[in-house]
Amino acid sequence: MQYAPIPYKPLIAFCMGELGLISRILAPKYGSYLTFGSLDVGKESAPGQLTAREMLGVYHIDKINRDTALYGLIGNPVGHSLGPYILNAAFRELGINAVYLPFKVENLREFVQGFKGLKVQGYSVTIPHKEAIVPLLDGLDSLAREIGAVNTVVSKEGKLVGYNTDSTAALRELEEAIGDLRGKKATLIGAGGAARAIAFGLKKKGADITLVNRTENRARRLAQELGCHYRRFEDVTKIDGEVLINTTSVGMYPKPDISPVPPEAIRPGMWVFDIVYNPLQTRLLKEAEERGCRALDGLRMFLYQAAQQFELWTGRPAPLELMERIVRKRLKIK
Ligand code: ATR
């Protein structure tokens, strides 16, 4: 059977809903006749629609074309992340034709396989996929292999290689604040991917680590791997230490009113570090300050890990000051 050639017809094509958000941004890359945003927050005419201000100011949609390189964040949820704000601004600042997108991913295996065709150059990986992504990658750098968790993926000639920038970022933040960590007693709340990265880093620095996690088995396994202590969650108030670190997402937007530990677990004089950065002053840190502790929020770790990702992807130094300014503006802090 013969078909008559179809005359060129302008087409507006994108997907709806929260999962379709990325296609609204990528519409100009793939030849959609147009894409559009809402006039303001709350004025969306369909779910998944961004505001015109976000499309222009965050994603620089007017600069997206066929050649725009793709980067993105894999997580669930991803709506709270400030990654798109700082990484898109960093690309723009350095004149790199690239866009960084939030990929809300429920089925990680299907995503990694299914999105290969999009030729994404690099991913950030966040909750809850940092460990689960390890066996789905084509390779790992030595630190990520040792930690067993990945927060950064670099596509090298189509092969996905995993890195971990959480560990260096967290340790840099802790050492800048506390100094030498050798012999310091540190309690870590959590036993997921972020906990692994921080615990392995602390171990190398000679800290004395105790793990506490809601799911005790997970803490036990990680403690065995690391050669450190673990305690039952119920015992968290009995642990003595100089440093308390929350590596979980408890206290993060949109549920900022909860703390990962009861206040009695916070001993006066402790250093308390919360990797949550949205909000910056979590309930845990507020209670820590009320108890005379020194509080370290998640801002620096977030910036340092993102800066190192940017450097792995582009081979160029990240505009750290600009990135910090943007985060502070978004979080409405000075
Ligand atoms: P990531 O890779 O980003 O660390 P993850 O592997 O899903 O994410 O780990 C999340 C960590 O936060 C885990 O330690 C998890 O505890 P469980 O192992 O019991 O799941 C912890 N976590 C998440 N939500 C929690 C909650 N509401 N209360 C206590 N711990 C929580």
Side-chain angles (χ1 to χ4, degrees):
M1 194 192 294
Q2 276 207 327
Y3 293 99
I6 301 169
Y8 172 76
K9 287 255 194 284
L11 184 75
I12 305 169
F14 48 71
C15 308
M16 304 296 284
E18 199 185 352
L19 294 171
L21 182 145
I22 52 168
S23 66
R24 291 175 181 272
I25 301 166
L26 293 181
K29 180 174 166 76
Y30 295 108
S32 177
Y33 175 64
L34 60 79
T35 182
F36 55 88
S38 69
L39 282 176
D40 213 341
V41 179
K43 299 230 166 113
E44 299 85 0
S45 56
Q49 214 175 73
L50 290 147
T51 62
R53 193 179 293 126
E54 275 176 305
M55 289 180 111
L56 285 164
V58 180
Y59 295 100
H60 312 299
I61 195 121
D62 52 329
K63 302 283 186 297
I64 293 180
N65 54 36
R66 214 175 275 275
D67 301 326
T68 302
L70 302 183
Y71 293 86
L73 168 68
I74 298 176
N76 189 15
V78 284
H80 69 284
S81 176
L82 298 185
Y85 295 94
I86 58 171
L87 286 158
N88 282 311
F91 286 134
R92 182 78 188 268
E93 174 79 4
L94 272 72
I96 297 169
N97 184 8
V99 64
Y100 180 91
L101 303 156
F103 293 105
K104 181 179 159 151
V105 175
E106 282 159 9
N107 186 325
L108 186 62
R109 179 177 292 276
E110 276 181 14
F111 176 86
V112 171
Q113 282 305 324
F115 274 66
K116 280 214 164 122
L118 219 53
K119 299 195 171 40
V120 177
Q121 298 299 301
Y123 291 112
S124 313
V125 185
T126 191
I127 286 178
H129 300 314
K130 286 179 181 176
E131 284 175 86
I133 199 160
V134 169
L136 305 175
L137 298 173
D138 302 306
L140 291 176
D141 108 302
S142 55
L143 180 63
R145 175 170 293 116
E146 191 188 342
I147 294 170
V150 160
N151 77 322
T152 309
V153 176
V154 183
S155 174
K156 298 189 174 183
E157 288 152 18
K159 300 266 179 256
L160 299 179
V161 182
Y163 290 80
N164 194 302
T165 70
D166 275 341
S167 187
T168 325
L171 269 291
R172 181 173 164 190
E173 161 74 348
L174 286 166
E175 285 187 317
E176 278 174 4
I178 303 174
D180 189 4
L181 296 165
R182 184 159 297 278
K184 291 269 186 311
K185 283 191 180 148
T187 307
L188 258 72
I189 314 299
R196 280 183 164 269
I198 298 174
F200 272 84
L202 281 171
K203 167 97 180 171
K204 278 199 186 139
K205 300 288 176 183
D208 179 1
I209 306 161
T210 302
L211 299 174
V212 178
N213 191 45
R214 176 178 64 179
T215 310
E216 194 179 320
N217 264 342
R218 231 175 149 187
R220 184 189 309 123
R221 256 183 283 133
L222 181 54
Q224 277 165 356
E225 244 180 87
L226 268 168
C228 72
H229 320 283
Y230 78 95
R231 296 281 294 264
R232 288 162 18 141
F233 192 83
E234 295 70 39
D235 291 342
V236 71
T237 54
K238 298 184 195 146
I239 306 171
D240 218 2
E242 292 142 302
V243 190
L244 179 69
I245 305 175
N246 174 39
T247 74
T248 76
S249 54
V250 179
M252 184 173 85
Y253 175 87
K255 290 189 195 160
D257 297 329
I258 46 175
S259 168
V261 290
E264 305 81 65
I266 307 167
R267 306 287 165 103
M270 262 183 164
W271 289 94
V272 180
F273 175 31
D274 198 336
I275 70 163
V276 171
Y277 66 86
N278 189 3
L280 219 45
Q281 201 196 34
T282 56
R283 174 148 177 197
L284 171 69
L285 292 189
K286 194 160 168 278
E287 289 175 349
E289 279 177 354
E290 284 164 7
R291 293 184 158 238
C293 295
R294 288 159 290 188
L296 295 175
D297 61 49
L299 175 66
R300 307 243 119 238
M301 177 178 163
F302 173 60
L303 287 169
Y304 292 156
Q305 62 80 32
Q308 205 188 328
Q309 289 184 338
F310 184 86
E311 287 162 24
L312 282 167
W313 293 335
T314 65
R316 297 172 65 181
L320 198 57
E321 276 176 26
L322 169 77
M323 291 157 74
E324 177 165 356
R325 264 203 318 278
I326 292 170
V327 175
R328 289 186 177 278
K329 194 170 155 205
R330 297 298 317 173
L331 297 174
K332 298 190 174 53
I333 45 170
K334 289 201 185 116

